[in-house]
Amino acid sequence: MVLSSLPSLETASPAHICPFDQACSYLEAAAKELHLNQGVIEILSHPRKAITVSIPVKLDNGEVQVLVGHRVQHSDILGPYKGGTRYHPSVTLREVSALAMLMTWKCALLGIPYGGGKGGIAIDPTHYSVGELERITRRYTSELIKDIGPEVDIPAPDVGTSAREMAWMMDTYSMNVGHAVPGVVTGKPLSIGGSRGREMATGRGVMIIVREALATQGKSVKGAQVVIQGFGNVGGAAALLLQEAGAKILAVSDAHGGIFSPAGLDIPALKAYYAQNRRSLAGFPGSLPVTNAQLLALPCDVLIPAALENQITEENCDRVQAEMVVEAANGPVTLAADLALEARGVTILPDILANAGGVVVSYLEWVQGLSYLFWDEERVNREMEQLMVNAYQKVVQQSKQRQITLRLAAYTIGVGRVAQALTDRGLYP
Ligand SMILES: NC(=O)C1=CN([C@@H]2O[C@H](COP(=O)(O)OP(=O)(O)OC[C@H]3O[C@@H](n4cnc5c(N)ncnc54)[C@H](O)[C@@H]3O)[C@@H](O)[C@H]2O)C=CC1
Ligand SMILES: O=C(O)CCC(=O)C(=O)O
């Protein structure tokens, strides 16, 4: 699949910045630093397989709609393709391809035996009933039946999906092959072989990276002032766990806007309010409204974009006042903004490290499934923390040794491991 041959319409992400081109730029920078052979770079710049499917769905009112879904399998050099499934209107083949490539480097950086993949359907899930979402998910899974599996490609939740969709995927796959196959997805409910700790895992990993990064700078998470964009699975969990660790959460937001409190938000109370208030942050007692643009510009120690890509751009990065940006989302800082922030001395903890807690616990879920064992949450959290801290330390060490940014350091480790495996397997032509 040659991505450059895709229609030009596909190159336009919401912010008109192509996530796949950006992902390739980071790959090229890492390859240059590592003096990789051009043939290796060529191979790694292309997803191994990109699948686009039509998903006809009968709506509750009897109408038929045909949706578009993708699954991109970037690399399986180190193991089965692994990565989430996104339901969001901005989903395109190029976006999914970029996210699949990030998964390859993320899994390699964390030292887990997976390649990289990602999938998605271009829909706003809030516009569909639960029944419609189930039919959409089952049809999408059926279309991918020959391309996924516990040893082939293992989907997980991402934006707009959760354990519920993973259960539907697992059930559809299992019905098609004729027996239960829990290992075809991770992030599934506990009742069908999910892992304790998976729901909070990405947020927990973010908390660990914030804590470690502050400690490296001789600072403590206790009292650190934190601002978080996105209050979903990742942002919500990160807010809760960072507050538990002693940080003050000054502001949070979702797609509709945010709230701010100089005294710090009470996150458990806010979560209860959000659930009761039809998932609206507005009007939380003691808070002031902020727009997403204002939120990114609030003075704070740590800014955590935990929503979508291309949020901190060339246009708004001058207004960012945080001393540290921790990428809980995938690709929230554009390439141009990354360079500008680094030049100003802002520390950026890159996505492939900062949000890896989710895929690490997905891996632990898969390992528990393969060994027919269920660990308690303490063990899951402990094993995940060990892998996260280890990866963090390796990134810091690489950054110091090579005098490069933390992002380039993370990429050189991830890309370097995949390139080495590619060469050792003899796949280099
Ligand atoms: N769920 C997971 O385990 C993992 C997720 N990620 C990444 O974390 C990010 C968030 O994912 P989840 O929390 O799972 O998704 P989610 O669907 O649970 O939550 C997304 C949140 O972002 C908000 N949002 C959407 N557009 C926004 C905008 N323009 N401005 C501000 N907020 C906006 C939504 O309202 C929601 O609060 C994504 O980039 C995803 O790829 C990364 C690793 C694992
Ligand atoms: O848990 C997983 O397998 C994938 C998580 C994911 O999509 C991500 O890290 O971006």
Short mmCIF file of all heavy atoms in Angstrom, two decimals, residues 176-227:
data_model
loop_
_atom_site.label_atom_id
_atom_site.label_comp_id
_atom_site.label_asym_id
_atom_site.label_seq_id
_atom_site.Cartn_x
_atom_site.Cartn_y
_atom_site.Cartn_z
N ASN A 176 -17.54 -16.46 14.74
CA ASN A 176 -17.09 -16.77 13.38
C ASN A 176 -16.16 -17.96 13.33
O ASN A 176 -16.21 -18.75 12.38
CB ASN A 176 -16.41 -15.55 12.77
CG ASN A 176 -17.39 -14.67 12.03
OD1 ASN A 176 -17.66 -14.86 10.87
ND2 ASN A 176 -17.96 -13.70 12.76
N VAL A 177 -15.28 -18.08 14.36
CA VAL A 177 -14.33 -19.20 14.30
C VAL A 177 -14.87 -20.45 15.01
O VAL A 177 -14.30 -21.52 14.91
CB VAL A 177 -12.92 -18.83 14.86
CG1 VAL A 177 -12.30 -17.71 14.05
CG2 VAL A 177 -12.97 -18.46 16.33
N GLY A 178 -15.96 -20.27 15.76
CA GLY A 178 -16.63 -21.44 16.34
C GLY A 178 -16.24 -21.79 17.76
O GLY A 178 -16.71 -22.78 18.30
N HIS A 179 -15.39 -20.99 18.37
CA HIS A 179 -15.05 -21.23 19.78
C HIS A 179 -14.57 -19.91 20.40
O HIS A 179 -14.19 -18.99 19.67
CB HIS A 179 -13.97 -22.31 19.93
CG HIS A 179 -12.71 -22.02 19.17
ND1 HIS A 179 -11.62 -21.42 19.73
CD2 HIS A 179 -12.40 -22.23 17.86
CE1 HIS A 179 -10.69 -21.28 18.81
NE2 HIS A 179 -11.13 -21.76 17.68
N ALA A 180 -14.58 -19.86 21.74
CA ALA A 180 -14.25 -18.59 22.42
C ALA A 180 -12.76 -18.26 22.24
O ALA A 180 -11.90 -19.11 22.50
CB ALA A 180 -14.58 -18.70 23.90
N VAL A 181 -12.49 -17.03 21.80
CA VAL A 181 -11.10 -16.60 21.61
C VAL A 181 -10.90 -15.27 22.34
O VAL A 181 -10.86 -14.20 21.72
CB VAL A 181 -10.75 -16.44 20.10
CG1 VAL A 181 -9.25 -16.18 19.93
CG2 VAL A 181 -11.15 -17.66 19.30
N PRO A 182 -10.75 -15.31 23.68
CA PRO A 182 -10.63 -14.05 24.42
C PRO A 182 -9.42 -13.23 23.99
O PRO A 182 -9.45 -12.00 24.02
CB PRO A 182 -10.49 -14.50 25.89
CG PRO A 182 -10.93 -15.92 25.93
CD PRO A 182 -10.73 -16.50 24.56
N GLY A 183 -8.36 -13.91 23.54
CA GLY A 183 -7.10 -13.21 23.22
C GLY A 183 -7.13 -12.39 21.95
O GLY A 183 -6.15 -11.73 21.61
N VAL A 184 -8.27 -12.36 21.24
CA VAL A 184 -8.32 -11.59 19.99
C VAL A 184 -8.34 -10.09 20.25
O VAL A 184 -7.98 -9.30 19.38
CB VAL A 184 -9.53 -12.02 19.11
CG1 VAL A 184 -10.85 -11.69 19.80
CG2 VAL A 184 -9.46 -11.35 17.76
N VAL A 185 -8.76 -9.69 21.45
CA VAL A 185 -8.74 -8.26 21.82
C VAL A 185 -8.20 -8.14 23.25
O VAL A 185 -8.25 -9.10 24.02
CB VAL A 185 -10.15 -7.61 21.79
CG1 VAL A 185 -10.70 -7.50 20.38
CG2 VAL A 185 -11.11 -8.33 22.71
N THR A 186 -7.74 -6.95 23.59
CA THR A 186 -7.43 -6.64 24.99
C THR A 186 -8.27 -5.42 25.39
O THR A 186 -8.87 -4.78 24.54
CB THR A 186 -5.94 -6.36 25.21
OG1 THR A 186 -5.57 -5.24 24.39
CG2 THR A 186 -5.07 -7.57 24.89
N GLY A 187 -8.27 -5.17 26.70
CA GLY A 187 -9.11 -4.07 27.19
C GLY A 187 -10.56 -4.51 27.26
O GLY A 187 -11.48 -3.69 27.24
N LYS A 188 -10.77 -5.85 27.34
CA LYS A 188 -12.13 -6.37 27.40
C LYS A 188 -12.60 -6.45 28.86
O LYS A 188 -11.77 -6.31 29.78
CB LYS A 188 -12.19 -7.75 26.72
CG LYS A 188 -11.21 -8.76 27.26
CD LYS A 188 -11.06 -9.96 26.33
CE LYS A 188 -9.93 -10.87 26.79
NZ LYS A 188 -8.60 -10.40 26.38
N PRO A 189 -13.90 -6.70 29.08
CA PRO A 189 -14.38 -6.78 30.46
C PRO A 189 -13.74 -7.95 31.22
O PRO A 189 -13.38 -8.96 30.62
CB PRO A 189 -15.89 -7.03 30.29
CG PRO A 189 -16.22 -6.60 28.90
CD PRO A 189 -14.98 -6.81 28.09
N LEU A 190 -13.66 -7.81 32.55
CA LEU A 190 -13.07 -8.86 33.40
C LEU A 190 -13.79 -10.20 33.20
O LEU A 190 -13.17 -11.25 33.22
CB LEU A 190 -13.21 -8.47 34.87
CG LEU A 190 -12.24 -7.42 35.43
CD1 LEU A 190 -12.51 -7.19 36.91
CD2 LEU A 190 -10.80 -7.84 35.21
N SER A 191 -15.13 -10.13 32.97
CA SER A 191 -15.94 -11.35 32.87
C SER A 191 -15.51 -12.26 31.73
O SER A 191 -15.78 -13.45 31.74
CB SER A 191 -17.41 -10.97 32.67
OG SER A 191 -17.53 -10.22 31.47
N ILE A 192 -14.83 -11.70 30.71
CA ILE A 192 -14.41 -12.55 29.58
C ILE A 192 -12.89 -12.56 29.43
O ILE A 192 -12.36 -12.72 28.33
CB ILE A 192 -15.10 -12.15 28.25
CG1 ILE A 192 -14.97 -10.65 27.99
CG2 ILE A 192 -16.54 -12.60 28.23
CD1 ILE A 192 -15.40 -10.23 26.59
N GLY A 193 -12.20 -12.34 30.55
CA GLY A 193 -10.74 -12.47 30.50
C GLY A 193 -9.98 -11.17 30.42
O GLY A 193 -8.79 -11.17 30.09
N GLY A 194 -10.64 -10.06 30.74
CA GLY A 194 -9.91 -8.79 30.81
C GLY A 194 -8.99 -8.77 32.01
O GLY A 194 -9.06 -9.64 32.87
N SER A 195 -8.11 -7.76 32.03
CA SER A 195 -7.16 -7.67 33.15
C SER A 195 -7.59 -6.60 34.13
O SER A 195 -8.04 -5.52 33.73
CB SER A 195 -5.77 -7.31 32.64
OG SER A 195 -4.88 -7.14 33.74
N ARG A 196 -7.39 -6.91 35.39
CA ARG A 196 -7.53 -5.85 36.40
C ARG A 196 -6.53 -4.75 36.03
O ARG A 196 -5.44 -5.04 35.57
CB ARG A 196 -7.24 -6.40 37.79
CG ARG A 196 -8.31 -7.36 38.22
CD ARG A 196 -8.17 -7.84 39.64
NE ARG A 196 -9.40 -8.54 40.01
CZ ARG A 196 -9.69 -9.80 39.65
NH1 ARG A 196 -8.82 -10.50 38.96
NH2 ARG A 196 -10.83 -10.35 39.98
N GLY A 197 -6.95 -3.53 36.24
CA GLY A 197 -6.02 -2.40 36.04
C GLY A 197 -5.96 -1.87 34.62
O GLY A 197 -5.37 -0.82 34.39
N ARG A 198 -6.60 -2.54 33.63
CA ARG A 198 -6.46 -2.06 32.24
C ARG A 198 -7.16 -0.72 32.03
O ARG A 198 -6.67 0.15 31.33
CB ARG A 198 -7.00 -3.10 31.24
CG ARG A 198 -7.00 -2.61 29.76
CD ARG A 198 -5.61 -2.25 29.28
NE ARG A 198 -5.55 -1.70 27.93
CZ ARG A 198 -5.66 -0.42 27.61
NH1 ARG A 198 -5.88 0.50 28.56
NH2 ARG A 198 -5.54 -0.03 26.37
N GLU A 199 -8.36 -0.56 32.68
CA GLU A 199 -9.12 0.66 32.43
C GLU A 199 -8.34 1.90 32.84
O GLU A 199 -8.37 2.93 32.16
CB GLU A 199 -10.45 0.59 33.18
CG GLU A 199 -11.55 1.33 32.46
CD GLU A 199 -12.87 1.22 33.18
OE1 GLU A 199 -13.18 0.11 33.70
OE2 GLU A 199 -13.58 2.23 33.25
N MET A 200 -7.63 1.81 33.95
CA MET A 200 -6.88 2.98 34.46
C MET A 200 -5.45 3.00 33.94
O MET A 200 -4.69 3.92 34.25
CB MET A 200 -6.82 2.93 35.99
CG MET A 200 -8.16 2.96 36.70
SD MET A 200 -8.94 4.58 36.58
CE MET A 200 -8.09 5.45 37.90
N ALA A 201 -5.06 1.98 33.15
CA ALA A 201 -3.63 1.76 32.87
C ALA A 201 -2.95 2.92 32.15
O ALA A 201 -1.83 3.31 32.52
CB ALA A 201 -3.46 0.48 32.07
N THR A 202 -3.61 3.48 31.14
CA THR A 202 -2.93 4.54 30.38
C THR A 202 -2.74 5.77 31.27
O THR A 202 -1.65 6.36 31.31
CB THR A 202 -3.71 4.88 29.09
OG1 THR A 202 -4.02 3.66 28.42
CG2 THR A 202 -2.89 5.76 28.17
N GLY A 203 -3.79 6.10 32.03
CA GLY A 203 -3.69 7.23 32.95
C GLY A 203 -2.65 6.97 34.04
O GLY A 203 -1.91 7.88 34.45
N ARG A 204 -2.59 5.72 34.50
CA ARG A 204 -1.59 5.38 35.54
C ARG A 204 -0.18 5.54 34.99
O ARG A 204 0.72 6.06 35.64
CB ARG A 204 -1.82 3.95 36.04
CG ARG A 204 -0.89 3.53 37.18
CD ARG A 204 -1.26 2.16 37.73
NE ARG A 204 -2.57 2.13 38.36
CZ ARG A 204 -2.83 2.59 39.58
NH1 ARG A 204 -1.86 3.07 40.34
NH2 ARG A 204 -4.05 2.56 40.07
N GLY A 205 0.00 5.10 33.74
CA GLY A 205 1.31 5.24 33.10
C GLY A 205 1.69 6.72 32.98
O GLY A 205 2.84 7.10 33.19
N VAL A 206 0.70 7.55 32.63
CA VAL A 206 0.96 9.00 32.52
C VAL A 206 1.40 9.54 33.88
O VAL A 206 2.38 10.30 33.99
CB VAL A 206 -0.32 9.73 32.01
CG1 VAL A 206 -0.16 11.25 32.12
CG2 VAL A 206 -0.64 9.33 30.58
N MET A 207 0.69 9.14 34.93
CA MET A 207 1.04 9.60 36.28
C MET A 207 2.49 9.20 36.62
O MET A 207 3.26 10.00 37.15
CB MET A 207 0.06 9.00 37.30
CG MET A 207 0.31 9.34 38.75
SD MET A 207 1.48 8.23 39.56
CE MET A 207 0.51 6.74 39.74
N ILE A 208 2.86 7.98 36.27
CA ILE A 208 4.21 7.48 36.58
C ILE A 208 5.26 8.32 35.84
O ILE A 208 6.28 8.73 36.41
CB ILE A 208 4.33 5.98 36.20
CG1 ILE A 208 3.47 5.13 37.16
CG2 ILE A 208 5.79 5.51 36.20
CD1 ILE A 208 3.23 3.70 36.69
N ILE A 209 4.98 8.62 34.57
CA ILE A 209 5.95 9.39 33.78
C ILE A 209 6.05 10.83 34.31
O ILE A 209 7.15 11.39 34.41
CB ILE A 209 5.58 9.36 32.27
CG1 ILE A 209 5.75 7.93 31.73
CG2 ILE A 209 6.40 10.36 31.46
CD1 ILE A 209 7.15 7.32 31.83
N VAL A 210 4.92 11.43 34.68
CA VAL A 210 4.96 12.78 35.26
C VAL A 210 5.81 12.75 36.53
O VAL A 210 6.70 13.60 36.73
CB VAL A 210 3.54 13.29 35.58
CG1 VAL A 210 3.58 14.58 36.39
CG2 VAL A 210 2.72 13.49 34.30
N ARG A 211 5.54 11.79 37.39
CA ARG A 211 6.27 11.67 38.67
C ARG A 211 7.77 11.51 38.42
O ARG A 211 8.59 12.21 39.01
CB ARG A 211 5.72 10.45 39.42
CG ARG A 211 6.23 10.27 40.82
CD ARG A 211 5.90 8.87 41.31
NE ARG A 211 6.63 7.86 40.56
CZ ARG A 211 6.27 6.58 40.44
NH1 ARG A 211 5.17 6.13 41.02
NH2 ARG A 211 7.00 5.74 39.75
N GLU A 212 8.13 10.61 37.50
CA GLU A 212 9.55 10.36 37.23
C GLU A 212 10.22 11.59 36.61
O GLU A 212 11.36 11.93 36.95
CB GLU A 212 9.71 9.15 36.29
CG GLU A 212 9.26 7.84 36.88
CD GLU A 212 10.06 7.41 38.11
OE1 GLU A 212 11.30 7.39 38.03
OE2 GLU A 212 9.44 7.11 39.16
N ALA A 213 9.51 12.22 35.67
CA ALA A 213 10.11 13.37 34.97
C ALA A 213 10.31 14.54 35.92
O ALA A 213 11.34 15.24 35.87
CB ALA A 213 9.22 13.78 33.80
N LEU A 214 9.34 14.75 36.82
CA LEU A 214 9.52 15.83 37.81
C LEU A 214 10.68 15.49 38.74
O LEU A 214 11.50 16.35 39.07
CB LEU A 214 8.22 16.03 38.61
CG LEU A 214 7.07 16.73 37.85
CD1 LEU A 214 5.78 16.66 38.66
CD2 LEU A 214 7.43 18.19 37.53
N ALA A 215 10.77 14.21 39.14
CA ALA A 215 11.85 13.80 40.04
C ALA A 215 13.22 14.02 39.38
O ALA A 215 14.17 14.47 40.04
CB ALA A 215 11.68 12.34 40.43
N THR A 216 13.31 13.76 38.09
CA THR A 216 14.58 13.99 37.36
C THR A 216 14.99 15.46 37.45
O THR A 216 16.18 15.78 37.50
CB THR A 216 14.41 13.57 35.87
OG1 THR A 216 14.05 12.21 35.84
CG2 THR A 216 15.68 13.79 35.07
N GLN A 217 13.99 16.33 37.49
CA GLN A 217 14.28 17.77 37.57
C GLN A 217 14.38 18.24 39.03
O GLN A 217 14.37 19.44 39.31
CB GLN A 217 13.18 18.57 36.86
CG GLN A 217 13.10 18.27 35.38
CD GLN A 217 12.04 19.11 34.67
OE1 GLN A 217 11.19 19.72 35.31
NE2 GLN A 217 12.11 19.14 33.35
N GLY A 218 14.41 17.29 39.95
CA GLY A 218 14.54 17.64 41.37
C GLY A 218 13.26 18.19 41.96
O GLY A 218 13.27 18.87 42.99
N LYS A 219 12.12 17.91 41.28
CA LYS A 219 10.83 18.43 41.76
C LYS A 219 9.96 17.26 42.21
O LYS A 219 10.25 16.10 41.92
CB LYS A 219 10.12 19.18 40.63
CG LYS A 219 10.87 20.40 40.13
CD LYS A 219 10.16 20.97 38.93
CE LYS A 219 10.99 22.08 38.29
NZ LYS A 219 10.52 22.38 36.94
N SER A 220 8.86 17.61 42.89
CA SER A 220 7.96 16.55 43.37
C SER A 220 6.60 16.70 42.71
O SER A 220 6.17 17.81 42.36
CB SER A 220 7.79 16.67 44.88
OG SER A 220 6.76 15.81 45.30
N VAL A 221 5.93 15.57 42.57
CA VAL A 221 4.56 15.62 42.04
C VAL A 221 3.63 16.25 43.08
O VAL A 221 2.59 16.83 42.75
CB VAL A 221 4.11 14.19 41.62
CG1 VAL A 221 3.86 13.31 42.82
CG2 VAL A 221 2.91 14.21 40.71
N LYS A 222 4.06 16.16 44.35
CA LYS A 222 3.25 16.77 45.42
C LYS A 222 3.24 18.28 45.24
O LYS A 222 4.29 18.91 45.23
CB LYS A 222 3.83 16.42 46.79
CG LYS A 222 3.60 14.99 47.18
CD LYS A 222 3.74 14.79 48.69
CE LYS A 222 3.31 13.40 49.09
NZ LYS A 222 4.13 12.33 48.53
N GLY A 223 2.07 18.83 45.06
CA GLY A 223 1.94 20.28 44.88
C GLY A 223 2.12 20.75 43.46
O GLY A 223 1.91 21.93 43.17
N ALA A 224 2.52 19.86 42.54
CA ALA A 224 2.71 20.28 41.14
C ALA A 224 1.36 20.71 40.56
O ALA A 224 0.33 20.09 40.82
CB ALA A 224 3.27 19.13 40.33
N GLN A 225 1.38 21.80 39.79
CA GLN A 225 0.14 22.31 39.21
C GLN A 225 -0.03 21.74 37.80
O GLN A 225 0.83 21.93 36.94
CB GLN A 225 0.20 23.83 39.18
CG GLN A 225 0.43 24.40 40.58
CD GLN A 225 -0.05 25.82 40.71
OE1 GLN A 225 -0.02 26.58 39.76
NE2 GLN A 225 -0.52 26.18 41.90
N VAL A 226 -1.14 21.05 37.62
CA VAL A 226 -1.33 20.26 36.39
C VAL A 226 -2.61 20.68 35.66
O VAL A 226 -3.64 20.92 36.30
CB VAL A 226 -1.42 18.74 36.75
CG1 VAL A 226 -1.70 17.90 35.52
CG2 VAL A 226 -0.14 18.28 37.45
N VAL A 227 -2.51 20.76 34.34
CA VAL A 227 -3.67 21.08 33.49
C VAL A 227 -3.84 19.94 32.49
O VAL A 227 -2.85 19.50 31.89
CB VAL A 227 -3.43 22.42 32.75
CG1 VAL A 227 -4.43 22.62 31.62
CG2 VAL A 227 -3.51 23.59 33.74
#
